[in-house]
Amino acid sequence: MGEFDLIARYFTRPTKRAVLGVGDDCALLQPADGMQLAVSSDMLVEGRHFFADVDPHTLGHKALAVNLSDLAACGAQPLAFTLALALPRVDENWLAGFSRGMFALADVHGCELVGGDTTQGPLNICITVFGEVPRGQALLRSGAQAGDDVYVSGTLGEARLALDALRDHTPLPDELLALARHRLEQPTPRVALGMALRGIATAAVDVSDGLLGDLGHILNASGVGARIDTSIAINLIASHAQIARAERLFSYEKMLAYVLAGGDDYELAFTAPAAQRQAVQQASQQAQTAVTRIGQIEAAPGLRLHNAQGQLLEKRYASFDHFA
C-alpha cells in the first residue's frame, strides 16, 4: 500500500466545520466571529511515551487526548487537528485500530482531521490541534493572584503507578493494574471543564509532567508562590483505598510522589478567587468532572508543601523532564 492509499483509506473523512480538509497542500479553517484560534502540538515517540506493544486503539485515543488536554487548559472548544505519522512499515491491522481509537475521541469532541503527513521511520506520532475561544476569554498561565485557591480536576497518580508496574518496578494485583493502566493509556481530556471555567479561573495548566512541575509553570508565569496541603492532595489518587490495603507494596511517601510528580495524568490544575468557590463547583457539576481544592496562591515566590498539622515538608519532588 502506498502513502496516498494509506491516507485515503485510514485518515480521510468529509469535514463539516473546516472549509477544506485532507487533500490539498493546506487545510482551511474559519473561526466563528469574535473567536480566536488556539493551537497546540504534541509528539509521542515509541519507547519514550508508549510501549511498543500498546494496543493501537488506545494509542490512537491517547495521541489525540494529550492535545485536547492542552485546549482544555486554554478553555478552548476543539475545532480540527492534523496528524504527522512516521511508520516503520505499513501494518493495516495496526492502522485500522489506531485510526478507530483516534476518530472515536475526535467524534466525541467534534474535532476533525484536516491534514498532515506520513513517512517511513521509527514510530512517531505528532498531532497539532486547533480550537477556538472567545476573544479575551482564553485561560492562561499568567493570571494567578495571591489569595486564589488552587484546584485539581479528577484524580492523579494512577498513570505513574501503571508505568512503574509495567516496567516491573512495582507488582500490582490485576484489578489495580487494570484501573491504573486505563488511566495511563486512555486519559480523559477535560475539555468541558476548561470551557466551563472561562471567566472563573484566573490561570490553568494541564497536568502532563507532574502536578508540582506543571503548577510551577503557573507560579512562574504569574510571579507568585503557592502553599499545597499534602494531606488533601494524597487523596487525589483514586486507587488510594486499594493501595492502602496493600501496605506491603506502597508507602505513604510513594503514593504522595505519584500524586505530586507522577505525570501523564492530563487533568487540569487551575486557580480561582476564593469568592468564586460556588462558581467553581457549578462549573464542576456542569462538566461532570470532580475538582479538589488543594491549596492557595501566596505572594511570596516558591512552592511550599505542608502536612495536615501545617508543618512545612522539606522533601522535593522532581517532575518529568524529557532532557533530564
Side-chain angles (χ1 to χ4, degrees), residues 42 132 186 202 209-210:
D42 266 299
E132 56 183 12
Q186 293 187 274
T202 52
D209 296 329

Side-chain angles (χ1 to χ4, degrees), residues 116-196:
D117 190 27
T118 58
T119 190
Q120 187 173 28
L123 184 55
N124 186 315
I125 305 158
C126 184
I127 287 179
T128 297
V129 70
F130 304 86
E132 56 183 12
V133 61
R135 191 177 304 278
Q137 292 188 32
L139 304 180
L140 307 178
R141 298 177 178 182
S142 55
Q145 301 176 31
D148 285 354
D149 295 321
V150 178
Y151 293 88
V152 176
S153 70
T155 63
L156 302 177
E158 286 85 18
R160 179 55 185 271
L161 175 61
L163 187 61
D164 278 3
L166 294 170
R167 288 174 170 170
D168 294 326
H169 297 167
T170 304
L172 286 181
D174 290 345
E175 180 183 359
L176 186 52
L177 176 58
L179 181 155
R181 187 165 187 170
H182 180 79
R183 290 283 289 144
L184 173 67
E185 296 179 345
Q186 293 187 274
T188 302
R190 302 302 186 182
V191 173
L193 179 62
M195 294 171 62

Side-chain angles (χ1 to χ4, degrees), residues 240-264:
H240 179 276
Q242 293 169 279
I243 290 176
R245 289 198 297 270
E247 292 179 358
R248 67 186 185 281
L249 300 178
F250 303 97
S251 65
Y252 180 93
E253 179 57 39
K254 191 169 189 177
M255 287 190 291
L256 190 59
Y258 284 147
V259 169
L260 298 180
D264 259 341

Side-chain angles (χ1 to χ4, degrees), residues 35-48:
M35 306 292 272
Q36 293 177 306
L37 273 181
V39 184
S40 180
S41 293
D42 266 299
M43 183 184 301
L44 298 184
V45 178
E46 183 181 42
R48 186 66 170 172

